[in-house]
Amino acid sequence: MTPAAANGPRLPPAAGVLLFATWATALGPHALRVPGWVVVAVALLGAWRIRLELRGGRELPRWLVFGLTILGALGVALSAPRPLGRDAALLLLFLLGGLKLLELRQARDRVLLVFLSWFLVLANLLYDPSPAAAVHMGATVLVSAGALVCLSDARGNLGWRGGLGVAGRLLAPALPLALVVFLLFPRVPGRLWSLPADVSRGLSGFSETMSPGSVTDIALSDAVAFRADFRGTLPPSSQRYWRGLVLQDTDGVRWTAGRSPQEVLAGPPETTADALEHEVTLEPHGKRWLFALDRPVSAPEGARLTRGSELRAAAPVVHRRRYAVRSLPGGSGGETQGESPELAAALALPAVSARVRGLAQEWAQAAGAPSGRLDGEAVVRQALDFFRREPFVYTLSPPLLGRDPVDAFLFEARAGFCEHFAAAFTVLMRAAGVPARVVAGYLGGEENPLGGYLLVLQADAHAWSEVWLEERGWVRVDPTTAVAPERIERPILRMLGAGSLPVRFALPGEGPLAAGIRWTRAAWDALGHGWNRWVLGYDYFRQRDLMARLGYRGATWRGLSIALAAAGGVFLAGLALALARRGAGALELPEVRAYRRFCRRLDRTGVPRRPHEGPLDLASRIAQERADLADAARAVLEPYQRLRYAPQLPSGARQEELRRLRRAVRAFRPGRMPRSAGPK
Amino acid sequence: MSLRRRDLDVAAKGNPVPGALARLARPLRRAGFLRGEGPAAGPVALDRSRIFVLPTRAGWTLGALLLAMLLGSVNYENGLGLLLTFLLGSLAVVSILHTHRNLSGLRLAPGRTEPVFAGEAARFAILLDNPGGTRRAVALRPRARNGGREGEAADLPPGASAVELLRPAARRGRLALGPVVVETRFPLGLARAWSVFELPLGCLVYPRPGPPHPWPAPTGSDREGEAAAPSGVGQGDFAGIRRHHPGESPGTVHWKASARAQELLSKHFLGEQGAQLWLSWDDLPGLGTEERLSRLCRWALEAHGSARPWALRLPGFQAGPDRGEAHLRRCLTALAEFEP
């Protein structure tokens, strides 16, 4: 390419302003997501380009542009976060956005810069799909459309404000059209592909195993775990156990899921009238379990219900997900047949110390084991009495327990978090001959006064036990509440105070200020939740739900496509018609339009224009009949006269004259003008 | 955008393609799309049937980009990403309507065209009537391949205005403007709306004046042998007054006499009659046709400048001896249209 071509036409100032604004707003939010050297390099490129456009100068030679690009690519290759995934792609995109400034002489390059900015906005939405990001998106689209307008405005007569104005007029109908398409565009369940680095990174929640301290780690986070909407009344706080996964196999230290509970529940799940229906919006946690009020009896679409009454999604939850589920909050139920392999697994005892075994045997003796018929409930009662009687402490920072944590916890430390209690209780039950298992999930949920839903935080993470009783099946037993009954009412963080925790915004207990802060937080969360429900969580399921509620049951791929085509077609046809009609109105010259408005106002004064009257005659008649209006009328009629009948004016003078005319017409308000002395 | 069915049968005539195939090929063949329609007699109004819209290269690129954004948003189940994609797509579609409207309703009529000499640029004036508001970045250009570079886009003010289209006039004769393209990419540059039309505009191209060359011998009655140099107006002895011929130099008008007689009269000098110049095709043997015409053109211009009566004689054409603009024009036109 010759230097002349590389030094193409200069960027018009208006297009330059908007193009640079587009570039800066698109890159801005990513500045904290990429390494510092890239930010500095890109900022330098921006400064160089601004200087070049303002002061003039030479473009970089082609070989240097090429060299810098190679250098940048090398830098990205070396410093990109591993494994290569979303972050690396963003880094590359960000750098490209900076390097694109190096060549901006061709019209094509400028348009490409706008396109690149749009891609960067999309990347921002992938990272941060918040209402703020949506506002950022709207602003960037407006500014970038203005940049495109100014770029295609060959003469540069519009100016950047005019460019934004045209962009606004384009966006005004584009936004509702986009919303229609958004609602009707057929969604697919699940995703098309995934990058390995995207899954389960930076996500908090339960892992497949539980060992002393693992729940404590989760409970230290005050991130949102999920939100649950209830149709009708909320469950009482004592029933807000959210079932996640069942842990059955243990070696005495670690607890894992084991095989049998994962099998799918045979037969259709029981549904009863008093089942509580609720809808959960689950934050991504990278695992397959879905949480539901204990105990779920129906599986949402894309998930199944296991024999352990767990909900298992078909794929790991790496995006926020909404699902409807029905639960029986009584707690008991599930598999009730004796002698199943599941029960055998729930009796498998790890290596335990003699002290533990002795304690359990003691309870079993008392509960009638020698007679051959063990009263499970009696054993449970004794165990809970034991926890209450002995000086057990519920704490978030338990002491280290060594190689036999159950023994150490029960007889020495006697301080622990819920997983210690649940694990020890379950082992004791098994040693006594009562089938038992650990359930991990959440306990609690704060009611949002605005949204009518429960907010469950990671800090609500909890573990409890389930024992199998012959008459009732699996029954929930929470040994923690035997020690700390207040745990039901409050999440662990608020219960224990801020003393032992990392920095945290501790709320003062009472008072108007605290109430205000709490209300603001609730309002913010409610806004976010509504956002999640209607914008982010508007997926395959929700779309079908909405369509069904609107009475459209054929919400299939085909049906939706037809509806989309029809709605879009009608919308565009209407828009084209409106444009054509406005075009017909625009057939009138602007001065004629202004003149007509003036005449309408004149009608109200009692001195209407007569059909045959030209502007000059009219002016002299007004001067005779309404001397008070004469000046104001002349201010209108003179520019009109010039515009309409003078030989052709140069474009600038014409615009000036038009502005004068319009201003005078606006100022012509006969009603507000003082009448002259009155009739003579 | 519909195409007109005019000229269709003419095109189909003499084409042995069987009926069904012909019907299929018809829209392609008549592609008013590319060739435009036949010349219109009067003003051309741009309406739905004359304006075509297609995406530009940037538009196609955006299409591919939006597809990628759509796939990405669907895959990452990102509702906002979908919204962005749809918003940009809607923006592009709405901009197409505006691009179309930027041309729609415009009326174009042929204006005046002045003759030029070969080697100059022919200027074709086109009158525009814009009944709406300002139309931005509308470009007009001749569609012909040698019709100059990409038309420069300009803003069309409301009301009447005129534009001039330039085409290089390489050869003498009549240069037709041919099909004209009016196009715009405003407001987003993603779509191009255009219309091809033809106005009855032609430009007369005189031969290129040859290099200066001595005049042929004047063939007047009493000044034989004089190779006169160009001289000023009104030299010689005053001989009387005669009627002014349109095209004669205004300097010869006898204003006082004209005022009395109520019509234009010009002064008449004796010397002129004697110094008649005869420019003749036959005086230039041994030259090619175009060289002869070029030299005659040069002589005619100089003779006109000399204010002496002069005459031009071509095979099958003779004018003069006479003077004035009208005479010059008549002779130059003859030179331009001469066919040996």
Side-chain angles (χ1 to χ4, degrees):
Chain A
M1 192 166 281
T2 61
N7 286 319
R10 280 177 70 91
L11 198 53
V17 167
L18 291 180
L19 197 58
F20 193 77
T22 305
W23 179 82
T25 41
L27 263 70
H30 296 296
L32 289 176
R33 299 187 185 123
V34 295
W37 69 267
V38 180
V39 179
V40 171
V42 167
L44 283 177
L45 283 170
W48 171 80
R49 172 53 71 181
I50 291 178
R51 199 186 132 82
L52 190 72
E53 294 297 337
L54 288 183
R55 302 237 182 122
R58 291 178 59 83
E59 297 281 328
L60 292 190
R62 207 142 178 80
W63 61 266
L64 190 53
V65 173
F66 190 69
L68 282 173
T69 310
I70 295 283
L71 212 64
L74 265 178
V76 166
L78 290 177
S79 68
R82 313 280 157 161
L84 295 178
R86 200 171 65 161
D87 289 344
L90 176 75
L91 179 55
L92 192 65
L93 206 60
F94 190 88
L95 197 71
L96 273 181
L99 288 171
K100 193 69 211 150
L101 290 185
L102 286 175
E103 41 171 17
L104 220 53
R105 274 299 176 232
Q106 309 276 318
R108 195 186 47 200
D109 296 325
R110 298 163 186 170
V111 174
L112 274 183
L113 184 64
V114 172
F115 290 176
L116 199 59
S117 301
W118 288 346
F119 225 91
L120 279 160
V121 172
L122 178 69
N124 184 43
L125 297 178
L126 291 182
Y127 274 87
D128 169 32
S130 67
V135 171
H136 171 261
M137 167 184 107
T140 319
V141 169
L142 177 69
V143 175
S144 59
L148 281 184
V149 170
C150 284
L151 284 174
S152 41
D153 174 32
R155 283 302 158 116
N157 287 340
L158 266 172
W160 65 270
R161 280 199 197 87
L164 283 183
V166 173
R169 251 169 285 149
L170 291 175
L171 273 173
L175 189 63
L177 179 60
L179 287 176
V180 168
V181 180
F182 178 79
L183 283 181
L184 291 179
F185 184 79
R187 300 302 202 277
V188 289
R191 53 196 340 223
L192 307 173
W193 77 87
S194 66
L195 293 174
D198 295 343
V199 182
S200 73
R201 197 178 36 76
L203 305 173
S204 57
F206 287 96
S207 65
E208 291 85 350
T209 64
M210 185 189 85
S211 50
S214 63
V215 180
T216 324
D217 286 345
I218 306 166
L220 281 174
S221 154
D222 61 351
V224 174
F226 57 86
R227 299 171 176 86
D229 289 273
F230 286 85
R231 296 196 182 141
T233 52
L234 302 173
S237 44
S238 64
Q239 295 293 345
R240 289 178 192 166
Y241 281 85
W242 307 94
R243 194 181 184 86
L245 58 159
V246 171
L247 301 164
Q248 186 152 274
D249 290 3
T250 180
D251 58 0
V253 182
R254 283 157 47 86
W255 288 80
T256 56
R259 280 217 64 76
S260 52
Q262 287 198 43
E263 290 170 25
V264 185
L265 192 66
E270 46 181 318
T271 42
T272 38
D274 52 348
L276 255 182
E277 199 166 331
H278 57 295
E279 211 173 34
V280 178
T281 309
L282 180 63
E283 297 295 318
H285 57 68
K287 300 293 190 300
R288 285 175 51 198
W289 31 88
L290 307 179
F291 296 89
L293 197 63
D294 199 20
R295 110 196 355 252
V297 291
S298 75
E301 219 161 328
R304 53 203 170 77
L305 191 62
T306 69
R307 287 165 70 92
S309 294
E310 306 157 286
L311 292 176
R312 287 290 169 118
V317 181
V318 289
H319 293 280
R320 189 179 287 114
R321 175 166 180 170
R322 288 187 68 84
Y323 49 88
V325 64
R326 293 157 67 82
S327 291
L328 278 176
S332 67
E335 199 69 20
T336 49
Q337 293 163 357
E339 298 304 318
S340 71
E342 197 182 346
L343 287 188
L347 280 170
L349 198 59
V352 289
S353 65
R355 282 197 280 190
V356 175
R357 197 184 298 266
L359 184 64
Q361 305 270 307
E362 202 179 293
W363 296 338
Q365 297 273 340
S371 64
R373 192 162 150 64
L374 181 66
D375 182 359
E377 276 191 76
V379 178
V380 170
R381 256 197 315 277
Q382 296 216 36
L384 292 180
D385 280 345
F386 169 75
F387 281 119
R388 279 191 206 107
R389 194 176 58 238
E390 301 297 325
F392 279 97
V393 177
Y394 181 59
T395 173
L396 203 54
S397 39
L400 287 175
L401 293 176
R403 298 193 55 196
D404 188 355
V406 174
D407 179 83
F409 171 70
L410 283 176
F411 297 107
E412 281 150 32
R414 293 199 163 166
F417 196 52
C418 56
E419 73 258 39
H420 300 96
F421 287 95
F425 178 83
T426 307
V427 166
L428 281 171
M429 286 301 111
R430 289 186 181 181
V434 181
R437 60 194 185 187
V438 173
V439 180
Y442 296 88
L443 167 60
E446 196 178 339
E447 184 183 347
N448 188 298
L450 299 163
Y453 60 90
L454 290 176
L455 173 69
V456 178
L457 305 173
Q458 295 293 359
D460 295 319
H462 193 59
W464 62 91
S465 298
E466 269 186 343
V467 294
W468 192 82
L469 302 178
E470 223 159 297
E471 303 300 319
R472 298 168 55 191
W474 288 102
V475 175
R476 181 175 68 223
V477 180
D478 188 357
T480 310
T481 52
V483 176
E486 66 278 19
R487 168 68 184 88
I488 288 179
E489 303 295 335
R490 280 184 281 167
I492 177 68
L493 285 176
R494 256 162 244 172
M495 201 169 93
L496 298 178
S500 57
L501 292 171
V503 180
R504 209 186 120 73
F505 182 37
L507 281 176
E510 298 302 326
L513 178 67
I517 292 175
R518 220 171 272 135
W519 189 89
T520 314
R521 271 194 188 176
W524 183 248
D525 193 75
L527 175 74
H529 186 50
W531 179 256
N532 293 341
R533 275 181 84 161
W534 289 107
V535 181
L536 305 183
Y538 188 75
D539 59 0
Y540 172 75
F541 307 105
R542 192 139 196 97
Q543 184 177 41
R544 288 182 33 161
D545 195 35
L546 179 73
M547 291 300 139
R549 246 189 262 175
L550 291 176
Y552 181 51
R553 305 233 160 248
T556 55
W557 240 95
R558 258 187 71 182
L560 281 170
S561 303
I562 293 169
L564 176 62
V570 166
F571 189 95
L572 283 177
L575 183 62
L577 212 66
L579 276 179
R581 188 164 299 160
R582 203 176 331 143
L587 289 185
E588 220 170 39
L589 287 168
E591 58 264 30
V592 176
R593 221 170 333 160
Y595 185 57
R596 270 186 215 283
R597 198 160 61 229
F598 165 73
C599 290
R600 277 198 298 275
R601 289 185 178 181
L602 197 61
D603 281 347
R604 283 180 252 149
T605 63
V607 196
R609 186 180 81 95
R610 293 176 191 147
H612 62 270
E613 254 174 346
L616 284 182
D617 298 338
L618 183 60
S620 58
R621 196 163 58 84
I622 292 175
Q624 281 169 13
E625 297 183 17
R626 285 290 298 271
D628 57 322
L629 294 179
D631 286 342
R634 205 173 315 119
V636 172
L637 291 170
E638 276 174 2
Y640 174 67
Q641 168 85 8
R642 275 195 292 277
L643 279 165
R644 198 85 176 95
Y645 302 108
Q648 195 158 4
L649 294 163
S651 171
R654 196 188 143 73
Q655 291 305 317
E656 181 54 40
E657 206 66 64
L658 257 181
R659 264 197 294 278
R660 199 171 302 150
L661 172 66
R662 290 200 179 117
R663 211 175 318 127
V665 170
R666 265 200 306 276
F668 186 76
R669 294 195 174 278
R672 290 187 196 168
M673 288 182 193
R675 279 179 166 266
S676 56
K680 292 157 211 165
Chain B
M1 315 301 129
S2 70
L3 299 162
R4 284 202 180 161
R5 284 177 184 268
R6 215 197 293 158
D7 299 339
L8 178 62
D9 298 330
V10 182
K13 223 177 270 175
N15 194 331
V17 182
L21 252 180
R23 261 204 302 284
L24 270 178
R26 208 172 274 176
L28 291 175
R29 195 156 5 88
R30 76 180 135 135
F33 216 56
L34 300 169
R35 284 187 288 108
E37 306 196 0
V44 173
L46 300 186
D47 56 13
R48 270 204 321 277
S49 64
R50 279 186 173 271
I51 301 175
F52 305 100
V53 185
L54 275 183
T56 57
R57 197 152 60 157
W60 290 118
T61 311
L62 177 65
L65 180 84
L66 286 180
L67 194 64
M69 288 171 78
L70 181 71
L71 282 178
S73 304
V74 166
N75 189 54
Y76 285 91
E77 290 167 9
N78 192 300
L80 263 185
L82 277 179
L83 195 59
L84 172 68
T85 310
F86 297 148
L87 183 61
L88 293 177
S90 305
L91 188 68
V93 171
V94 170
S95 88
I96 291 175
L97 296 179
H98 281 256
T99 307
H100 182 270
R101 196 175 74 123
N102 207 21
L103 287 190
S104 165
L106 199 61
R107 280 194 286 271
L108 304 106
R112 281 173 63 91
T113 306
E114 294 296 324
V116 295
F117 293 96
E120 295 180 346
R123 297 168 172 272
F124 299 90
I126 293 183
L127 304 177
L128 297 166
D129 181 22
N130 172 12
T134 304
R135 294 163 196 264
R136 298 196 181 276
V138 177
L140 263 104
R141 63 181 166 87
R143 200 178 65 84
R145 193 152 299 164
N146 62 346
R149 282 177 297 130
E150 184 95 344
E152 211 172 296
D155 292 350
L156 304 184
S161 56
V163 290
E164 251 184 5
L165 295 188
L166 302 186
R167 265 195 81 182
R171 297 194 0 236
R172 69 178 180 89
R174 278 207 174 267
L175 177 67
L177 173 58
V180 172
V181 182
V182 55
E183 63 180 350
T184 185
R185 288 155 201 240
F186 195 78
L188 292 188
L190 301 176
R192 166 178 176 260
W194 79 97
S195 182
V196 183
F197 59 91
E198 211 170 329
L199 293 172
L201 269 174
C203 180
L204 190 62
V205 183
Y206 302 146
R208 184 196 300 264
H213 198 269
W215 282 358
T219 55
S221 51
D222 51 3
R223 299 240 179 138
E224 205 142 341
E226 188 200 45
S231 54
V233 173
Q235 277 196 347
D237 304 320
F238 182 69
I241 292 169
R242 68 179 182 197
R243 242 173 136 180
H244 181 83
H245 293 282
E248 276 182 332
S249 161
T252 63
V253 174
H254 193 294
W255 293 107
K256 280 182 185 164
S258 302
R260 278 194 301 274
Q262 298 287 309
E263 63 172 336
L264 281 180
L265 301 171
S266 29
K267 288 168 271 187
H268 184 56
F269 298 93
L270 235 188
E272 293 170 342
Q273 284 300 335
Q276 282 179 4
L277 268 175
W278 282 87
L279 313 175
S280 173
W281 172 269
D282 297 327
D283 289 346
L284 299 165
L287 287 176
T289 308
E290 297 303 319
E291 281 107 63
R292 279 182 178 184
L293 293 172
S294 277
R295 185 162 304 168
L296 287 172
C297 178
R298 161 68 65 179
W299 280 344
L301 290 172
E302 288 183 355
H304 175 67
S306 78
R308 274 198 276 176
W310 55 279
L312 176 70
R313 195 185 293 144
L314 295 173
F317 173 87
Q318 183 176 327
D322 203 347
R323 293 178 310 153
E325 286 291 330
H327 178 54
L328 176 69
R329 270 176 190 270
R330 196 168 155 230
C331 293
L332 288 177
T333 305
L335 289 173
E337 290 175 338
F338 176 74
E339 280 177 41

